[in-house]
Amino acid sequence: MDIIGIGYLGFETPDLDAWREYGPQVMGFGIAPSPASDKESLYFKIDDRRHRFAFHPGKVDRLAYIGWEAMGRQAFDAAIKTFEANHVEITRGDAALCEKRGVRELIRFRDPVGYQHELFYGQKWTPRSFMPGRPHGGFLANERGAGHVVVITPEYTDELEDFLTRIMGFHWYGAGAGKGRTGFFRSRLNHHTSHDIAYGHGVGRMGVQHVGLFVNSIRDVGETYDIVKKRELPMMMTLGQHTQDPHLSFYHFTPSGFAFETIAEIEPWQGDPFELNPECLSLWGHEMVGPILGPSVKTPEEVLDPEYLASKR
Ligand SMILES: [Fe+2]
């Protein structure tokens, strides 16, 4: 599938007010106008797309959907044929949902773990429309997308890897440097980073572990770090440099209990002409000063839709 990367991410949260302050003031997000049909939700811009992050009111903090961007209509149509040929249940987003997401067309489907995904093309954009919520040098999004996400899966199965690699056409990066079973994957058209999504095995656990966000400069990483420290927000990992991508980053916890990894690219990614097997997670730094799994990682019963759970029983 000709997928560029993650176009948008949707979450549910009981604390929209916290995000309304935290998003612009800590992360530098711009607040996007909410669609007329979804006034109660909070939408954030990080570039010239209509939005990249949506926070919808909900009872618990959870990832609601991952929106993958197909290159265009032809890629979208071809992806639908592939899903159908592989008997993946898809539903087409109606006009009202497309309007909410600001896209031409979308489909919804689940991975074998149960996470809700969407595939879309043609999200609305306006050149030079991004205004950061605080002084900020901007995000490395645009043609790259919203960033990457690491989710926890209660069972790590061959079926999951097959779904991601054979059906969705993702490139298998490898298992990374972690101790547990983790798989890193990137979409076919991502030539910039090692992964768009990773699934980490956590027995009986589910939820988003962290979201990686690319900022334009090291200064943006440093200034975000200062703000996080000044506000005494809980940190997961201190500043450090990863092995698998030449990235400087740090991790802190958001109001929803998952972490944001704020990342500056130090140099272009080296690629992976062979399967990379990093000796260690980081070359320096990234001292673990908080839990690796925040409160956003819960039981499947807490993070999955009740209707979906009922259908699986
Ligand atoms: Fe990351």
Side-chain angles (χ1 to χ4, degrees):
M1 290 182 185
D2 280 341
I3 296 174
I4 297 167
I6 295 175
Y8 54 74
L9 288 169
F11 299 86
E12 286 182 5
T13 180
D15 201 354
L16 279 172
D17 286 342
W19 275 97
R20 213 180 298 281
E21 201 270 335
Y22 164 89
Q25 296 308 318
V26 177
M27 295 306 291
F29 296 166
I31 292 184
S34 299
S37 59
D38 194 23
K39 280 288 172 212
E40 68 279 15
S41 296
L42 175 63
Y43 286 76
F44 288 129
K45 279 173 81 76
I46 64 169
D47 63 357
D48 291 337
R49 292 297 182 88
R50 181 181 272 189
H51 79 276
R52 292 291 195 176
F53 297 99
F55 288 83
H56 307 287
K59 284 196 189 75
V60 292
D61 280 299
R62 64 174 193 140
L63 178 66
Y65 49 86
I66 301 169
W68 296 97
E69 178 163 14
M71 206 170 88
R73 197 183 74 204
Q74 286 83 356
F76 178 79
D77 291 342
I80 290 176
K81 285 205 179 78
T82 303
F83 281 128
E84 285 173 347
N86 286 283
H87 312 291
V88 175
E89 205 178 302
I90 58 169
T91 56
R92 285 193 183 252
D94 60 12
L97 187 61
C98 290
E99 177 51 34
K100 266 187 208 170
R101 303 284 194 263
V103 301
R104 288 247 184 239
E105 290 189 87
L106 72 88
I107 54 169
R108 311 193 87 211
F109 57 97
R110 286 183 191 268
D111 64 27
V113 187
Y115 283 109
Q116 178 73 62
H117 297 256
E118 297 179 355
L119 179 75
F120 74 92
Y121 70 92
Q123 193 189 23
K124 301 227 185 233
W125 69 290
T126 305
R128 293 181 63 177
S129 61
F130 173 61
M131 289 270 287
R134 62 166 171 83
H136 191 287
F139 295 84
L140 193 55
N142 293 307
E143 76 273 13
R144 292 211 191 178
H148 65 237
V149 64
V150 174
V151 294
I152 302 300
T153 175
E155 287 161 37
Y156 191 110
T157 61
D158 293 342
E159 187 196 3
L160 172 64
E161 282 195 357
D162 181 67
F163 181 85
L164 297 167
T165 56
R166 189 177 56 82
I167 302 176
M168 289 195 74
F170 287 171
H171 180 90
W172 160 254
Y173 166 81
K179 290 188 201 79
R181 192 169 182 197
T182 302
F184 290 85
F185 306 87
R186 71 174 173 278
S187 50
R188 219 180 69 76
L189 302 180
N190 173 0
H191 305 299
H192 301 290
T193 59
S194 68
H195 61 290
D196 291 296
I197 192 163
Y199 287 74
H201 184 206
V203 180
R205 308 300 283 168
M206 220 174 144
V208 57
Q209 191 257 349
H210 83 268
V211 171
L213 267 171
F214 292 80
V215 295
N216 281 334
S217 73
I218 288 173
R219 177 173 168 180
D220 293 317
V221 176
E223 288 178 349
T224 307
Y225 194 72
D226 280 355
I227 292 170
V228 165
K229 286 215 304 194
K230 200 167 174 190
R231 291 181 170 229
E232 299 180 349
L233 299 179
M235 200 85 85
M236 181 194 276
M237 280 189 243
T238 60
L239 274 174
Q241 183 177 337
H242 274 304
T243 309
Q244 70 182 53
D245 295 85
H247 292 163
L248 173 81
S249 68
F250 77 100
Y251 299 66
H252 80 279
F253 289 100
T254 68
S256 287
F258 64 84
F260 267 144
E261 179 187 10
T262 305
I263 308 164
E265 199 174 54
I266 303 169
E267 54 195 64
W269 182 48
Q270 75 277 4
D272 55 351
F274 46 86
E275 184 164 324
L276 295 177
N277 186 8
E279 290 271 12
C280 51
L281 180 70
S282 307
L283 300 170
W284 58 268
H286 285 153
E287 185 194 344
M288 195 69 82
V289 290
I292 187 78
L293 301 181
S296 59
V297 178
K298 305 171 198 285
T299 64
E301 289 72 25
E302 288 172 287
V303 297
L304 287 170
D305 298 317
E307 312 88 71
Y308 174 76
L309 275 167
S311 75
K312 292 299 260 184
R313 284 193 183 116

